[in-house]
Amino acid sequence: MERQTGSRAGKDHLQAIKNIGENLFIVILAFYPLRHVQWGLDLMDTGYNYANYTYMGTEHMDPMWLFSTWLSNAAGHLFTKLPGGGTLVGMNIYTGLFVSLLAVLCYLFCTKKLNIRPWAAFLGEMAAVSLCWCPTALLYNYMTFTLFTGCVILLYYGLTKEKKGYLIAAGVCLGANVLVRFSNLPEAAMILTVWFYDILWAKEEKQGNR
């Protein structure tokens, strides 16, 4: 009886250490993308996009650029209204959070759903964030990545669990992605996989009912 109690206590202790390690991975992935927020070295793309966010509108911006990347411009304009949004550091933090969200979202999906080992998923996400060269000011890129990742995860859940609610949400992500950057329109073709699956699913149900 004492051995069983000791063995269980040992397993609980190891599980507690594992949980602490996984939570630490999440915290690191959330804050690591913000390590360069005080760097004001890149003022080309960064300054151009932040100026568009600050002075959003057809009186300051080319209408084609404004409407072809409307949702990303609107999000950036919203950030300028938040506390610290009028400073370079503040905007770097707000836009950098998209990278944090991507890293944490992908890590949780890989570990919780795909059963990838936490340390492997963590190292992969750290490598991806470290090699990311694009300034976070380019929200039309990072919002694209975020919505596309969300779409892939929702499609996975929708197709594996056969729940159309997830598929509808994935379609919303794809539609919103076109508003983020009009050149994302080809990505909307991913919804064709859902229609194809739905057709096959319907055929299988009919055959099963015969």
Side-chain angles (χ1 to χ4, degrees), residues 147-148 151 155 169-179 187-191:
L147 287 170
F148 188 78
C151 169
L155 282 178
V172 171
C173 285
L174 289 175
N177 230 353
V178 177
L179 296 177
E187 293 180 5
M190 281 188 64
I191 207 66

Side-chain angles (χ1 to χ4, degrees), residues 71-194:
L71 192 56
S72 55
N73 289 320
H77 185 65
L78 175 62
F79 291 155
T80 65
K81 305 298 182 181
L82 298 178
T87 65
L88 182 61
V89 173
M91 285 297 289
N92 284 344
I93 291 175
Y94 290 132
T95 57
L97 289 175
F98 276 96
V99 186
S100 301
L101 176 62
L102 269 171
V104 172
L105 185 64
C106 291
Y107 171 82
L108 291 175
F109 178 67
C110 289
T111 55
K112 303 301 182 182
K113 191 60 184 178
L114 302 183
N115 295 322
I116 296 176
R117 293 183 178 180
W119 64 266
F122 173 73
L123 291 179
E125 291 302 322
M126 287 292 289
V129 174
S130 298
L131 295 173
C132 189
W133 61 269
C134 183
T136 58
L138 279 65
L139 284 179
Y140 56 81
N141 281 336
Y142 286 100
M143 289 185 70
T144 292
F145 303 153
T146 303
L147 287 170
F148 188 78
T149 300
C151 169
V152 171
I153 293 174
L154 290 168
L155 282 178
Y156 180 90
Y157 278 101
L159 295 176
T160 56
K161 296 181 178 295
E162 298 184 346
K163 292 186 177 181
K164 292 188 177 181
Y166 287 112
L167 303 181
I168 294 172
V172 171
C173 285
L174 289 175
N177 230 353
V178 177
L179 296 177
V180 168
R181 184 173 59 188
F182 187 74
S183 57
N184 290 337
L185 184 60
E187 293 180 5
M190 281 188 64
I191 207 66
L192 294 176
T193 61
V194 178

